[in-house]
Amino acid sequence: MRLVRFGAPGAEKPGILDDEGRIRDLSGHTADFARDGLSPERLAHIAGLDRQSLPMAPDDARIGPPVGDVRNFIGIGLNYADHAAEAGLHIPSEPVVFNKLANCIIGPNDDVMQPRNVQKMDWEVELAFVIGQRARYVEKADAMRYIAGFCICNDVSERHFQLERSGQWAKGKCCETFGPLGPWLVTPDEVDVANLGLWLDVNGERRQTGSTATMIFDVPYMLSYVTQFMVLEAGDVVTTGTPPGVALGMKEPKWLQAGDVIRLGIDGLGEQCQRVVPFKL
């Protein structure tokens, strides 16, 4: 299934794509794709519906992030060897775990806003997974049954804040609008998560091309690893690292500027498109 949330920010409704790729309204069958609304039982109920008979969503509806009411937004850093090399960092022996704030999540086509004092704003196309049920001390062999679905994340980062201001990476990862998610949440039965192509363009110029086949740590391992240190709840989001091609790795970095357009996609998970806008209150 390709699940979607549509409508104004903060008032999104749950939907599902039909056989023709049109959004059908699911609000008569589930309140939202959030917390218990992502449980295996709830998703099994939705899978059994005749989606072609559901009401249509408005053609011009805004697409929101595919999961609502997120409590925890976890990032995995340096998970592609070639990205670690371009950043001048060692390949980690264990996953690098950091936090993004849930309130930086926006829809896949919403504007990305420059923070105050921006110097080195960067892009990162990433595969993210969304938790469907409480996960603690999960074995790798069992990990996939805890995942409600997969989506695209643009892990927007401010490298000066992240790497040059000392302390935690969170300072460069949690700025307002730095977490575009979506457009869809695709259930695991429709995703070959071990071999997905990823790409990202800025102003029509290809910057990133990669494949999840080159990940250092695979999805089941990452989920299992994280749950050895913290409990993940239904609706939590984990984004899994980026392939090479970020501005940080360029000899002459082309940092994002106001007016730039970022377009990115992952096989089977759709595409995003954001415009970078100046800071505003």
Side-chain angles (χ1 to χ4, degrees):
M1 295 185 293
R2 291 177 292 172
L3 306 175
V4 65
R5 296 169 73 247
F6 64 94
E12 292 93 347
K13 293 181 178 182
I16 187 169
L17 267 61
D18 66 16
D19 295 342
E20 288 74 42
R22 300 170 300 186
I23 299 174
R24 300 281 183 159
D25 189 341
L26 277 171
S27 57
H29 297 271
T30 190
D32 199 1
F33 297 130
R35 304 205 184 191
D36 292 344
L38 292 163
S39 70
E41 297 77 16
R42 176 55 53 184
L43 296 185
H45 168 73
I46 292 169
L49 297 174
D50 176 12
R51 66 191 70 176
Q52 300 298 114
S53 67
L54 295 169
M56 296 282 294
D59 290 339
D60 59 349
R62 166 188 172 269
I63 305 300
V67 57
D69 198 20
V70 176
R71 283 170 284 187
N72 296 299
F73 190 4
I74 307 297
I76 305 296
L78 305 177
N79 196 31
Y80 291 74
D82 35 13
H83 171 57
E86 73 172 354
L89 300 170
H90 295 295
I91 296 173
S93 58
E94 297 187 35
V96 175
V97 180
F98 62 90
N99 286 94
K100 290 178 77 77
L101 289 184
N103 67 3
C104 74
I105 293 174
I106 58 173
N109 304 314
D110 293 342
D111 291 339
V112 169
M113 185 171 64
Q114 293 178 313
R116 280 181 170 171
N117 304 311
V118 64
Q119 293 189 29
K120 299 179 178 180
M121 190 169 164
D122 208 346
W123 57 83
E124 296 188 20
V125 58
E126 303 196 5
L127 172 71
F129 60 85
V130 176
I131 301 298
Q133 58 181 314
R134 197 168 196 257
R136 56 193 294 270
Y137 297 110
V138 174
E139 296 295 328
K140 179 178 177 180
D142 298 327
M144 292 299 288
R145 69 185 181 90
Y146 289 86
I147 295 176
F150 297 92
C151 64
I152 302 169
C153 174
N154 187 357
D155 178 19
V156 184
S157 307
E158 211 294 348
R159 303 301 190 185
H160 177 66
F161 296 173
Q162 177 190 355
L163 301 173
E164 300 173 33
R165 296 287 296 272
S166 75
Q168 297 290 324
W169 279 15
K171 289 189 290 189
K173 296 286 188 174
C174 295
C175 302
E176 189 175 357
T177 74
F178 272 23
L181 291 182
W184 315 318
L185 182 67
V186 182
T187 50
D189 58 299
E190 296 192 9
V191 181
D192 178 9
V193 71
N195 189 28
L196 296 174
L198 306 87
W199 58 270
L200 182 145
D201 296 344
V202 179
N203 300 328
E205 178 184 330
R206 183 58 46 93
R207 300 289 173 85
Q208 289 187 274
T209 303
S211 170
T212 57
T214 65
M215 281 181 168
I216 299 168
F217 307 107
D218 64 17
V219 167
Y221 181 85
M222 283 184 278
L223 190 153
S224 175
Y225 181 87
V226 171
T227 64
Q228 307 309 305
F229 304 99
M230 62 193 78
V231 176
L232 296 177
E233 304 284 359
D236 287 353
V237 177
V238 181
T239 190
T240 63
T242 197
V246 298
L248 179 66
M250 296 178 174
K251 291 183 179 179
E252 297 182 4
K254 298 179 180 179
W255 306 111
L256 289 169
Q257 305 294 326
D260 285 349
V261 174
I262 314 164
R263 187 177 294 275
L264 56 152
I266 298 179
D267 292 348
L269 302 184
E271 297 184 8
Q272 299 185 356
C273 184
Q274 300 105 32
R275 182 175 295 276
V276 180
V277 299
F279 174 80
K280 56 185 176 182
L281 290 174

